[in-house]
Amino acid sequence: MLVKTFGSAIVGIDAISITVEVSIDQGVAFFMVGLPDSAVKESHQRIEAALRHIGYRIPGKKIVINLAPADIRKEGSAYDLTIAVGILAASKQIKHENVSDYLIMGELSLDGSLQPVKGALPIAIEAKRKGFKGIILPELNAREAAIVGDINVFGVRTVKEVIDFFNEESQMKPIVINNKDTFSAKLNNYDVNFSDVRGQHNIKRALEIAAAGGHNVIMIGPPGSGKTMLARRLPTILPPLNLQEALETTKIHSVAGKLPRGSSLITIRPFRSPHHTISDAGLVGGGSFPQPGEVSLAHHGVLFLDELPEFKRTVLEVMRQPIEERNITISRARFSIDYPASIMLVAAMNPCPCGYYNHPDQECSCQPGIVQKYLNRISGPLMDRIDIHIEVVPVKVNDLVEAAPGEKSEIIRERVITTRKIQEKRFEKNKGIYNNAQMGATMLKEVCRIDDNSKKLLTTAITKLNLSARAYDRILKVSRTIADLEGEERILAAHLSEAIHYRSLDRENWGT
């Protein structure tokens, strides 16, 4: 007898339907075809043990299982339940009439219980697109899949529940959740706040400008100056995720298996902080069976690279394309996969190997030329993609004790949201551009016009401060954001002066 059940495979951050055809005939053999990996092939042993535990069995006949389409590699243990239901239906141990109406996924334990799978959200989206009557998943994945809406999602704990459901011996109630309530309940629910930071008013001002314009930032300063503390609070002043952004972010975390258990939706902007020993594939994605990297996991959020010069140069160089294009393409011989990567890059570094160059109290012990050599570990093309450079100086102990609590994130966020709305209106006719940091050279000339006096100021600054040529466009972008923050239509000399202040690492004499 031939029976078809349906599962799903993850390709990039999307899912495609997989047809599991089970044929049982005379003879004694077991064949699985259709490009399964080792984990899929091992499902035979898991299914046999699970079914025996609940009083069912795999028949001692010739069983042929085909996973179609055959040119797509099937990975992981999530097909266990799909194959088990197909075998039971083809051997007439359960009723087969309705099994093809549902998309079924789940990993089996040897006692018949079900373990969660990766990618429940894109799987549910695919099931809805294909018009399935419902989707059957492990209970721990049900809330995540139910976010999609307009499709019945059944969360099950054991394979016995699935058998009873198809044999019409029990009823299962679909999981129902209210997307708006779920989304609103945890919105902006951060554990940290900018009010925790004492002093450092100039640094907080720079980070507010970065958040308002979507600019990448690098902070340079000695150990203990608060670089990491400030970076971790940057997501709290970014505009809240909208529902579409939340779904995109959740899809990526779901596919990577990084979604917290029992969670249905990521409602706050991600903050990812990989260690400097990370590999190329770990940062931007890839591997033998491609998975999203840290850059994609930070989509619509902040990627924080602490101790930037300590990262391998090859790792930093692969960052250039995703920063510029906000997308990552992983190419292999037979296929290519795109992962979204719309991030704000925040980097931090010590000014020298010992960490105390330019420190107000500690003396630097590095040899002459070492400071510039340390800075040169970061290539010019990568530094070219960072708009704002901030020199962070430690707060003195007396100032730290006496300083009043800082401004709350909620207040700063309101200013950032207002500024972003100005930019959204400005770029509403320009597809793919949402903030000042994304402007190209052509648009820069239209949006960042300055008068003759401002041009003289900018020319003088570049000449006298020995700024590099690449600083010109960056200064204009940042000054546009500063003007937007103040509600000014024109870029004034004061805005340019502040923007020039944020290009310290472009000075040719820095560190000499």
Side-chain angles (χ1 to χ4, degrees), residues 448-469:
C448 300
R449 294 175 180 172
I450 53 177
D451 58 28
D452 291 339
N453 290 332
S454 295
K455 286 179 182 177
K456 289 179 183 177
L457 171 64
L458 188 52
T459 304
T460 303
I462 289 175
T463 304
K464 291 195 173 182
L465 297 176
N466 291 320
L467 296 178
S468 64

Side-chain angles (χ1 to χ4, degrees), residues 65 102 105 117 158 169 231 311 331 358 412 430:
I65 299 171
Y102 297 86
M105 294 292 282
V117 299
T158 67
E169 295 174 3
F311 284 78
S331 297
N358 270 354
I412 303 173
N430 302 95

Side-chain angles (χ1 to χ4, degrees), residues 284-336:
V284 298
S288 302
F289 307 118
Q291 288 285 308
E294 291 291 332
V295 177
S296 294
L297 290 170
H299 184 54
H300 291 314
V302 173
L303 178 68
F304 177 50
L305 301 183
D306 201 4
E307 305 296 344
L308 188 66
E310 304 302 328
F311 284 78
K312 289 184 288 186
R313 192 174 183 105
T314 55
V315 173
L316 293 180
E317 291 309 297
V318 297
M319 287 281 298
R320 286 156 56 179
Q321 183 230 353
I323 291 175
E324 192 74 22
E325 299 180 8
R326 301 182 181 272
N327 187 68
I328 297 168
T329 301
I330 307 294
S331 297
R332 294 292 181 266
R334 294 184 178 181
F335 61 88
S336 64

Side-chain angles (χ1 to χ4, degrees), residues 200-208 219 230 390-392:
Q200 301 289 26
H201 301 295
N202 59 326
I203 313 302
K204 289 188 279 189
R205 165 68 176 175
L207 291 179
E208 181 180 341
M219 294 183 283
L230 286 157
I390 313 171
E391 292 188 63
V392 186

Side-chain angles (χ1 to χ4, degrees), residues 257-276:
K258 302 291 185 182
L259 199 64
R261 282 197 171 189
S263 296
S264 56
L265 193 66
I266 291 177
T267 56
I268 62 173
R269 293 193 179 271
F271 179 89
R272 304 294 298 182
S273 180
H275 192 260
H276 63 259

